[in-house]
Amino acid sequence: MVEVAIAEPGELAAAQLEAAESLVRAAFGPSFRSHDWLHALDGVHVVLTAGDALLAFGAVVPRTLRHNGRALDTGYVEAVAVRADQQGSGLGAVVMDHAENVIRARHEVGALNAVESATGFYARRGWTPWTGHTQAAGPAGVIDTYADADRIYLLCPQPLDPGAALVCDWRPGDLW
Ligand SMILES: CC(C)(COP(=O)(O)OP(=O)(O)OC[C@H]1O[C@@H](n2cnc3c(N)ncnc32)[C@H](O)[C@@H]1OP(=O)(O)O)[C@@H](O)C(=O)NCCC(=O)NCCS
């Protein structure tokens, strides 16, 4: 039987985090870098297990996105992954059901940067692609973030204005 745990930041033991990192790295493949895992650490963790086995994982990390003069309290989804032999059996949807509950309860909007092969997974859940300009607020001011690989998806109660930039906060590694 699959069990779902919602772990607050810092609650998972080191061994649980190691198991999660291994699962996520295996699911994403070699393009997954150290910073990508660090980006998932400070969040609320959704952990699916069966007995001692970790089956699926995801994180909702607090970030601030700025848009049209507003600072949006954002639940940023990172490191969503299902163990390879369990994919396609509904576990990814369970991870996202819980991640979205966290976003709706604690944040104004949800955001994530989808890998190309997973865009359909998020789109069918009601996440919408951001078609406007993206920027990041860095130590030296606001910079444009033109990355072909970025596919930003949003979960918003009200649509944002694609005519105004969406500005993320700064972090090491990939900004989005
Ligand atoms: C993407 C991933 C998390 C999906 O998890 P999953 O357990 O395989 O997906 P589910 O079985 O819960 O699928 C839920 C629904 O989404 C659909 N779906 C699943 N993966 C999809 C994809 N890549 N594209 C489009 N639709 C997809 C399923 O058909 C299903 O539809 P249904 O509700 O009509 O039956 C999983 O395949 C995975 O870990 N991939 C590797 C890592 C990755 O890409 N993570 C996302 C990074 S942004």
Side-chain angles (χ1 to χ4, degrees), residues 120-155:
F121 171 70
Y122 296 112
R124 67 192 304 133
R125 303 185 58 81
W127 289 72
T128 53
W130 171 250
T131 56
H133 192 51
T134 58
Q135 296 178 321
V142 173
I143 62 160
D144 292 325
T145 48
Y146 297 109
D148 290 342
D150 284 343
R151 290 167 210 88
I152 312 303
Y153 277 72
L154 301 173
L155 189 67

Short mmCIF file of all heavy atoms in Angstrom, two decimals, residues 120-155:
data_model
loop_
_atom_site.label_atom_id
_atom_site.label_comp_id
_atom_site.label_asym_id
_atom_site.label_seq_id
_atom_site.Cartn_x
_atom_site.Cartn_y
_atom_site.Cartn_z
N GLY A 120 3.19 18.12 -20.76
CA GLY A 120 1.82 17.63 -20.88
C GLY A 120 1.24 17.17 -19.55
O GLY A 120 0.05 17.33 -19.28
N PHE A 121 2.11 16.60 -18.72
CA PHE A 121 1.70 16.14 -17.38
C PHE A 121 1.16 17.31 -16.57
O PHE A 121 0.11 17.20 -15.91
CB PHE A 121 2.92 15.49 -16.71
CG PHE A 121 2.75 15.15 -15.26
CD1 PHE A 121 1.91 14.12 -14.86
CD2 PHE A 121 3.45 15.85 -14.29
CE1 PHE A 121 1.77 13.80 -13.51
CE2 PHE A 121 3.33 15.53 -12.95
CZ PHE A 121 2.48 14.50 -12.56
N TYR A 122 1.85 18.46 -16.61
CA TYR A 122 1.39 19.63 -15.84
C TYR A 122 0.21 20.31 -16.52
O TYR A 122 -0.72 20.76 -15.84
CB TYR A 122 2.56 20.61 -15.65
CG TYR A 122 3.68 20.03 -14.83
CD1 TYR A 122 4.91 19.74 -15.39
CD2 TYR A 122 3.49 19.73 -13.48
CE1 TYR A 122 5.94 19.18 -14.64
CE2 TYR A 122 4.51 19.17 -12.73
CZ TYR A 122 5.73 18.89 -13.31
OH TYR A 122 6.72 18.33 -12.56
N ALA A 123 0.26 20.40 -17.84
CA ALA A 123 -0.81 21.11 -18.56
C ALA A 123 -2.16 20.45 -18.31
O ALA A 123 -3.17 21.13 -18.10
CB ALA A 123 -0.50 21.15 -20.05
N ARG A 124 -2.19 19.13 -18.29
CA ARG A 124 -3.48 18.44 -18.09
C ARG A 124 -4.01 18.65 -16.67
O ARG A 124 -5.19 18.42 -16.40
CB ARG A 124 -3.37 16.97 -18.43
CG ARG A 124 -2.51 16.18 -17.50
CD ARG A 124 -2.21 14.80 -18.06
NE ARG A 124 -3.42 14.05 -18.37
CZ ARG A 124 -3.64 13.39 -19.50
NH1 ARG A 124 -2.74 13.40 -20.45
NH2 ARG A 124 -4.74 12.71 -19.67
N ARG A 125 -3.14 19.09 -15.75
CA ARG A 125 -3.58 19.38 -14.38
C ARG A 125 -4.01 20.83 -14.20
O ARG A 125 -4.32 21.26 -13.08
CB ARG A 125 -2.44 19.09 -13.39
CG ARG A 125 -1.89 17.67 -13.45
CD ARG A 125 -0.86 17.44 -12.37
NE ARG A 125 -1.46 17.67 -11.05
CZ ARG A 125 -2.21 16.78 -10.41
NH1 ARG A 125 -2.42 15.59 -10.94
NH2 ARG A 125 -2.73 17.08 -9.23
N GLY A 126 -3.98 21.62 -15.27
CA GLY A 126 -4.43 23.00 -15.16
C GLY A 126 -3.31 24.01 -15.00
O GLY A 126 -3.58 25.21 -14.84
N TRP A 127 -2.07 23.54 -15.05
CA TRP A 127 -0.95 24.49 -15.01
C TRP A 127 -0.85 25.13 -16.40
O TRP A 127 -1.00 24.44 -17.41
CB TRP A 127 0.36 23.77 -14.68
CG TRP A 127 0.43 23.32 -13.26
CD1 TRP A 127 -0.26 22.30 -12.69
CD2 TRP A 127 1.25 23.88 -12.21
NE1 TRP A 127 0.07 22.19 -11.35
CE2 TRP A 127 1.00 23.13 -11.04
CE3 TRP A 127 2.17 24.92 -12.16
CZ2 TRP A 127 1.62 23.42 -9.83
CZ3 TRP A 127 2.80 25.19 -10.96
CH2 TRP A 127 2.53 24.46 -9.80
N THR A 128 -0.59 26.45 -16.43
CA THR A 128 -0.56 27.15 -17.72
C THR A 128 0.84 27.66 -18.03
O THR A 128 1.54 28.18 -17.15
CB THR A 128 -1.54 28.34 -17.73
OG1 THR A 128 -1.25 29.17 -16.61
CG2 THR A 128 -2.98 27.87 -17.67
N PRO A 129 1.25 27.51 -19.30
CA PRO A 129 2.59 27.99 -19.66
C PRO A 129 2.65 29.52 -19.59
O PRO A 129 1.70 30.19 -20.01
CB PRO A 129 2.78 27.49 -21.09
CG PRO A 129 1.43 27.20 -21.62
CD PRO A 129 0.53 26.92 -20.45
N TRP A 130 3.76 30.02 -19.06
CA TRP A 130 3.99 31.48 -19.03
C TRP A 130 4.57 31.87 -20.37
O TRP A 130 5.62 31.35 -20.78
CB TRP A 130 4.94 31.84 -17.89
CG TRP A 130 5.38 33.27 -17.95
CD1 TRP A 130 6.63 33.74 -18.25
CD2 TRP A 130 4.56 34.42 -17.72
NE1 TRP A 130 6.64 35.10 -18.23
CE2 TRP A 130 5.38 35.55 -17.91
CE3 TRP A 130 3.22 34.60 -17.38
CZ2 TRP A 130 4.90 36.84 -17.76
CZ3 TRP A 130 2.73 35.89 -17.24
CH2 TRP A 130 3.57 36.99 -17.42
N THR A 131 3.88 32.76 -21.08
CA THR A 131 4.32 33.13 -22.43
C THR A 131 5.03 34.48 -22.46
O THR A 131 5.50 34.91 -23.51
CB THR A 131 3.10 33.19 -23.37
OG1 THR A 131 2.14 34.10 -22.81
CG2 THR A 131 2.46 31.82 -23.54
N GLY A 132 5.07 35.16 -21.33
CA GLY A 132 5.66 36.49 -21.30
C GLY A 132 7.17 36.45 -21.04
O GLY A 132 7.81 35.40 -21.01
N HIS A 133 7.71 37.63 -20.84
CA HIS A 133 9.13 37.83 -20.61
C HIS A 133 9.50 37.36 -19.19
O HIS A 133 8.68 37.49 -18.27
CB HIS A 133 9.36 39.35 -20.74
CG HIS A 133 10.78 39.75 -20.81
ND1 HIS A 133 11.67 39.19 -21.67
CD2 HIS A 133 11.46 40.67 -20.10
CE1 HIS A 133 12.85 39.76 -21.50
NE2 HIS A 133 12.75 40.65 -20.55
N THR A 134 10.70 36.82 -19.03
CA THR A 134 11.15 36.45 -17.67
C THR A 134 12.42 37.20 -17.31
O THR A 134 13.27 37.47 -18.17
CB THR A 134 11.41 34.94 -17.54
OG1 THR A 134 12.40 34.54 -18.48
CG2 THR A 134 10.16 34.12 -17.73
N GLN A 135 12.53 37.52 -16.04
CA GLN A 135 13.70 38.21 -15.51
C GLN A 135 14.03 37.63 -14.14
O GLN A 135 13.24 36.85 -13.57
CB GLN A 135 13.42 39.72 -15.37
CG GLN A 135 13.15 40.42 -16.69
CD GLN A 135 12.84 41.90 -16.51
OE1 GLN A 135 12.15 42.28 -15.57
NE2 GLN A 135 13.36 42.72 -17.41
N ALA A 136 15.18 38.02 -13.61
CA ALA A 136 15.55 37.63 -12.25
C ALA A 136 16.11 38.85 -11.53
O ALA A 136 16.83 39.66 -12.13
CB ALA A 136 16.58 36.51 -12.26
N ALA A 137 15.76 38.97 -10.26
CA ALA A 137 16.26 40.09 -9.45
C ALA A 137 17.55 39.65 -8.78
O ALA A 137 17.54 38.87 -7.83
CB ALA A 137 15.21 40.48 -8.41
N GLY A 138 18.68 40.11 -9.34
CA GLY A 138 19.98 39.67 -8.84
C GLY A 138 20.65 40.70 -7.98
O GLY A 138 20.13 41.80 -7.78
N PRO A 139 21.86 40.37 -7.48
CA PRO A 139 22.59 41.29 -6.62
C PRO A 139 22.92 42.60 -7.33
O PRO A 139 23.05 43.64 -6.69
CB PRO A 139 23.88 40.53 -6.29
CG PRO A 139 23.73 39.15 -6.82
CD PRO A 139 22.53 39.10 -7.70
N ALA A 140 23.05 42.55 -8.68
CA ALA A 140 23.38 43.77 -9.43
C ALA A 140 22.16 44.35 -10.12
O ALA A 140 22.29 45.11 -11.07
CB ALA A 140 24.48 43.45 -10.44
N GLY A 141 20.99 43.97 -9.69
CA GLY A 141 19.77 44.49 -10.29
C GLY A 141 19.04 43.43 -11.08
O GLY A 141 19.40 42.25 -11.05
N VAL A 142 18.03 43.87 -11.81
CA VAL A 142 17.19 42.91 -12.55
C VAL A 142 17.84 42.57 -13.89
O VAL A 142 18.28 43.47 -14.61
CB VAL A 142 15.78 43.51 -12.76
CG1 VAL A 142 14.95 42.61 -13.67
CG2 VAL A 142 15.08 43.71 -11.43
N ILE A 143 17.94 41.28 -14.17
CA ILE A 143 18.51 40.86 -15.47
C ILE A 143 17.46 40.06 -16.24
O ILE A 143 16.56 39.46 -15.66
CB ILE A 143 19.77 40.00 -15.29
CG1 ILE A 143 19.44 38.71 -14.52
CG2 ILE A 143 20.88 40.77 -14.61
CD1 ILE A 143 20.47 37.62 -14.71
N ASP A 144 17.60 40.08 -17.57
CA ASP A 144 16.74 39.24 -18.40
C ASP A 144 17.19 37.80 -18.29
O ASP A 144 18.39 37.52 -18.21
CB ASP A 144 16.82 39.70 -19.86
CG ASP A 144 16.19 41.06 -20.05
OD1 ASP A 144 15.18 41.35 -19.37
OD2 ASP A 144 16.70 41.85 -20.86
N THR A 145 16.25 36.89 -18.32
CA THR A 145 16.61 35.47 -18.28
C THR A 145 16.06 34.81 -19.54
O THR A 145 14.92 34.39 -19.57
CB THR A 145 16.04 34.78 -17.01
OG1 THR A 145 14.66 35.12 -16.86
CG2 THR A 145 16.78 35.21 -15.77
N TYR A 146 16.92 34.78 -20.55
CA TYR A 146 16.54 34.13 -21.79
C TYR A 146 17.15 32.73 -21.79
O TYR A 146 18.33 32.59 -22.03
CB TYR A 146 17.13 34.86 -23.00
CG TYR A 146 16.64 36.27 -23.18
CD1 TYR A 146 17.49 37.34 -22.95
CD2 TYR A 146 15.35 36.52 -23.60
CE1 TYR A 146 17.07 38.64 -23.13
CE2 TYR A 146 14.92 37.81 -23.79
CZ TYR A 146 15.78 38.87 -23.55
OH TYR A 146 15.36 40.14 -23.74
N ALA A 147 16.39 31.74 -21.48
CA ALA A 147 16.93 30.39 -21.55
C ALA A 147 15.96 29.55 -22.36
O ALA A 147 14.80 29.41 -22.00
CB ALA A 147 17.12 29.81 -20.16
N ASP A 148 16.48 29.01 -23.46
CA ASP A 148 15.61 28.22 -24.33
C ASP A 148 15.00 27.04 -23.59
O ASP A 148 13.94 26.56 -23.92
CB ASP A 148 16.41 27.69 -25.53
CG ASP A 148 16.78 28.81 -26.48
OD1 ASP A 148 16.14 29.87 -26.38
OD2 ASP A 148 17.69 28.62 -27.29
N ALA A 149 15.74 26.56 -22.58
CA ALA A 149 15.28 25.35 -21.89
C ALA A 149 14.20 25.66 -20.85
O ALA A 149 13.61 24.73 -20.29
CB ALA A 149 16.46 24.68 -21.21
N ASP A 150 13.94 26.93 -20.57
CA ASP A 150 12.93 27.25 -19.54
C ASP A 150 11.52 27.06 -20.09
O ASP A 150 11.17 27.63 -21.12
CB ASP A 150 13.09 28.69 -19.06
CG ASP A 150 14.27 28.83 -18.12
OD1 ASP A 150 14.75 27.81 -17.60
OD2 ASP A 150 14.72 29.97 -17.92
N ARG A 151 10.74 26.29 -19.37
CA ARG A 151 9.32 26.15 -19.68
C ARG A 151 8.58 26.39 -18.37
O ARG A 151 8.35 25.47 -17.59
CB ARG A 151 9.01 24.75 -20.22
CG ARG A 151 9.57 24.52 -21.59
CD ARG A 151 9.55 23.08 -22.00
NE ARG A 151 10.67 22.82 -22.91
CZ ARG A 151 11.88 22.47 -22.52
NH1 ARG A 151 12.15 22.27 -21.24
NH2 ARG A 151 12.85 22.29 -23.39
N ILE A 152 8.27 27.66 -18.12
CA ILE A 152 7.68 28.04 -16.85
C ILE A 152 6.17 27.79 -16.91
O ILE A 152 5.50 28.25 -17.83
CB ILE A 152 7.93 29.54 -16.53
CG1 ILE A 152 9.41 29.90 -16.74
CG2 ILE A 152 7.47 29.88 -15.12
CD1 ILE A 152 10.37 29.09 -15.95
N TYR A 153 5.68 27.07 -15.92
CA TYR A 153 4.24 26.81 -15.80
C TYR A 153 3.76 27.40 -14.49
O TYR A 153 4.47 27.38 -13.47
CB TYR A 153 3.96 25.29 -15.86
CG TYR A 153 3.91 24.79 -17.28
CD1 TYR A 153 5.06 24.70 -18.04
CD2 TYR A 153 2.69 24.45 -17.87
CE1 TYR A 153 5.01 24.28 -19.36
CE2 TYR A 153 2.64 24.03 -19.19
CZ TYR A 153 3.80 23.94 -19.93
OH TYR A 153 3.74 23.54 -21.24
N LEU A 154 2.53 27.93 -14.54
CA LEU A 154 1.97 28.61 -13.37
C LEU A 154 0.64 27.99 -12.97
O LEU A 154 -0.13 27.52 -13.82
CB LEU A 154 1.73 30.09 -13.69
CG LEU A 154 2.97 30.89 -14.11
CD1 LEU A 154 2.55 32.28 -14.57
CD2 LEU A 154 3.97 30.99 -12.96
N LEU A 155 0.39 28.03 -11.67
CA LEU A 155 -0.92 27.65 -11.12
C LEU A 155 -1.42 28.88 -10.37
O LEU A 155 -0.94 29.19 -9.28
CB LEU A 155 -0.76 26.47 -10.17
CG LEU A 155 -2.05 25.80 -9.68
CD1 LEU A 155 -2.76 25.10 -10.84
CD2 LEU A 155 -1.73 24.80 -8.57
#
